[in-house]
């Protein structure tokens, strides 16, 4: 009997420890091209909402786009959600530079407070990645990319420095548990369709996906295309003085394709990065490897073992409700 009691107590302790381990907040770095599309704003709202719920720690918000107001936009959103000190990085050197055609960026930068006033005040993205990763426990970081792969390629190609004796590939392998990427296409158009995030810097995309040393989960174009969000926040009169609401309210009417809300490519990637896919999606049954072609299209190598891509499971209205509820989340009171 004594041995049974000891065994039972040990099982309870181990079970409690395992549960506690599962409840530890995810360490997240968000890499975004925020500007050409506004689903990135919904994705950032979701990320901050999940951080407020204790489900993640936002280690940095980093831009893969170079247009002039991208760092101030990130600063506005981080400040609005009461995290003005989150490190912000911007890609340096050769990179994509696409401005915000709908002009919602100038709207919120003018209207809301922000610590970082221009891109020069933000850190070099590669330097910031190396500094953040070097300081984290091994295999503890999830990176979620909802933009171009420029920063990922630059990180992989980075050299040892004062923060780490490891080169980029070794540093990623040591510190990054998972990459979740809104990228590519995995439906019947695969091989012909050139997904925006992959195609705009196809050289960096190919470098990244050929050489990334940790597991990748892809939220493909075909996932977010079917899921629409953003209308509920525009109609909620209780939400006032919100940059998230302002962005959706300004942008949705400008595109007839958004009558039911904006397609939610980036929101799905952030949700999966923090909560995992199991409640919301299936994944391709057998792991493989995404093959990036030089023109920005992609294929799937079934003999690979690194990657998975999402497959729809939860009924679309239900996942839209989950995402919209998070997008409407309001910052914690001071």
């Amino acid at each position: 009997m004594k041995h049974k009691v000891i065994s039972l107590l040990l099982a309870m302790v181990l079970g409690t420890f395992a549960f506690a381990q599962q409840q530890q907040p995810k360490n997240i770095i968000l890499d975004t091209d925020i500007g050409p599309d506004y689903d990135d704003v919904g994705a950032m709202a979701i990320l901050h909402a999940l951080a407020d719920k204790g489900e993640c720690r936002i280690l940095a918000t980093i831009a893969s786009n170079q247009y002039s107001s991208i760092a101030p936009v990130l600063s506005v959103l981080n400040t609005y959600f009461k995290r003005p000190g989150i490190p912000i990085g911007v890609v340096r050197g050769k990179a994509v530079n696409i401005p915000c055609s709908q002009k919602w960026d100038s709207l919120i930068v003018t209207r809301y407070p922000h610590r970082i006033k221009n891109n020069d005040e933000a850190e070099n993205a590669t330097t910031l990645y190396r500094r953040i990763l070097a300081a984290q426990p091994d295999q503890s970081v999830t990176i979620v990319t909802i933009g171009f792969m420029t920063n990922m390629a630059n990180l992989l190609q980075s050299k040892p420095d004062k923060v780490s004796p490891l080169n980029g590939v070794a540093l990623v392998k040591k510190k990054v548990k998972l990459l979740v990427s809104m990228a590519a296409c995995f439906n019947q158009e695969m091989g012909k369709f050139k997904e925006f995030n992959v195609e705009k810097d196809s050289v960096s995309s190919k470098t990244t996906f050929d050489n990334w040393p940790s597991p990748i989960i892809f939220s493909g174009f075909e996932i977010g295309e079917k899921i629409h969000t953003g209308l509920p926040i525009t109609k909620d009169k209780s939400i006032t003085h919100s940059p998230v609401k302002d962005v959706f309210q300004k942008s949705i009417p400008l595109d007839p394709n958004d009558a039911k809300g904006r397609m939610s490519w980036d929101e799905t990637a952030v949700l999966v990065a923090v909560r995992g896919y199991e409640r919301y999606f299936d994944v391709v049954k057998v792991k493989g490897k995404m093959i990036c072609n030089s023109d920005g299209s992609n294929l799937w190598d079934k003999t690979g073992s690194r990657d998975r891509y999402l497959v729809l499971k939860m009924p679309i209205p239900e996942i839209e409700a989950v995402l919209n509820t998070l997008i409407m989340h309001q910052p914690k009171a001071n």
Side-chain angles (χ1 to χ4, degrees):
M1 176 63 76
K2 181 178 178 181
H3 293 300
K4 289 184 178 180
V5 171
I6 291 173
S7 297
L8 180 60
L9 289 172
L10 180 60
M12 291 174 64
V13 168
L14 291 175
T16 301
F17 177 75
F19 179 78
Q21 290 290 98
Q22 292 172 2
Q23 299 305 303
Q24 290 297 311
K26 298 276 185 69
N27 291 324
I28 301 289
I29 298 175
L30 177 71
D31 195 290
T32 172
D33 66 345
I34 193 166
D37 202 344
Y38 59 98
D39 58 332
D40 303 69
V41 176
M44 285 195 69
I46 289 171
L47 184 62
H48 280 282
L50 295 173
D52 282 349
K53 294 175 183 294
E55 297 182 41
C56 67
R57 292 172 56 234
I58 307 172
L59 301 180
T61 51
I62 302 180
S64 61
N65 191 359
Q66 241 175 19
Y67 82 96
S68 59
S69 61
I70 195 163
V73 162
L74 293 175
S75 189
V76 163
L77 292 166
N78 290 340
T79 301
Y80 174 72
F81 284 105
K82 309 296 176 67
R83 294 182 179 86
I86 288 177
I88 291 174
V90 175
V91 62
R92 302 285 197 250
K94 184 180 179 181
V96 177
N97 187 329
I98 302 179
C100 179
S101 62
Q102 295 169 319
K103 308 299 182 184
W104 57 259
D105 59 331
S106 56
L107 171 68
I108 65 171
V109 167
T110 301
R111 188 173 290 180
Y112 296 94
H114 50 288
R115 176 177 59 88
I116 293 182
K117 306 302 182 183
N118 58 68
N119 288 353
D120 290 339
E121 295 179 10
E123 288 191 60
N124 177 304
T126 304
T127 303
L128 178 57
Y129 266 110
R130 290 188 60 85
R131 179 170 67 81
I132 294 289
L133 290 177
Q136 301 307 309
D138 293 353
Q139 291 292 294
S140 69
V141 178
T142 296
I143 298 175
V144 53
T145 65
I146 54 173
F148 317 124
M149 304 310 298
T150 317
N151 288 328
M152 300 298 97
N154 289 345
L155 173 60
L156 290 177
Q157 294 169 333
S158 65
K159 306 299 183 184
D161 57 15
K162 62 183 180 181
V163 301
S164 174
L166 302 176
N167 65 26
V169 173
L171 184 62
V172 169
K173 185 175 183 179
K174 184 177 178 66
K175 300 294 183 176
V176 177
K177 182 177 182 179
L178 178 67
L179 173 65
V180 178
S181 188
M182 192 282 111
C185 170
F186 302 97
N187 61 12
Q188 66 276 8
E189 294 298 314
M190 184 167 56
K192 296 175 287 184
F193 182 76
K194 300 173 185 178
E195 192 274 318
F196 181 81
N197 289 346
V198 176
E199 188 268 335
K200 285 300 175 184
D201 185 358
S202 59
V203 172
S204 291
S205 297
K206 184 166 178 56
T207 296
T208 300
F209 297 127
D210 282 357
N211 298 291
W212 193 261
S214 67
I216 305 176
I217 293 178
F218 288 95
S219 182
F221 178 88
E222 70 282 358
I223 296 295
E225 182 185 31
K226 297 178 175 67
I227 300 166
H228 296 79
T229 54
L231 275 182
I233 194 172
T234 69
K235 297 177 180 180
D236 191 327
K237 294 181 180 179
S238 71
I239 298 175
T240 59
H241 199 64
S242 161
V244 179
K245 181 176 182 177
D246 287 354
V247 169
F248 280 99
Q249 205 160 46
K250 178 178 177 61
S251 302
I252 284 176
L254 297 178
D255 189 339
N257 293 315
D258 294 352
K260 296 180 180 179
R262 185 61 185 153
M263 287 171 273
S264 303
W265 293 288
D266 297 345
E267 290 94 339
T268 57
V270 167
L271 182 70
V272 167
V274 178
R275 287 187 168 173
Y277 65 84
E278 292 85 355
R279 279 182 277 179
Y280 311 104
F281 299 98
D282 286 324
V283 290
V284 62
K285 291 182 179 179
V286 179
K287 286 183 180 181
K289 183 179 180 182
M290 189 276 234
I291 301 299
C292 184
N293 297 321
S294 58
D295 65 354
S297 63
N298 68 279
L299 297 169
W300 184 253
D301 179 4
K302 293 181 180 180
T303 68
S305 60
R306 183 192 64 188
D307 304 338
R308 290 179 173 175
Y309 60 83
L310 300 180
V311 178
L312 287 171
K313 178 176 73 172
M314 178 180 278
I316 288 171
E318 292 182 25
I319 195 164
E320 287 175 342
V322 170
L323 295 173
N324 276 316
T325 298
L326 293 168
I327 288 171
M328 291 190 289
H329 172 82
Q330 295 301 283
K332 287 183 174 181
N334 288 327

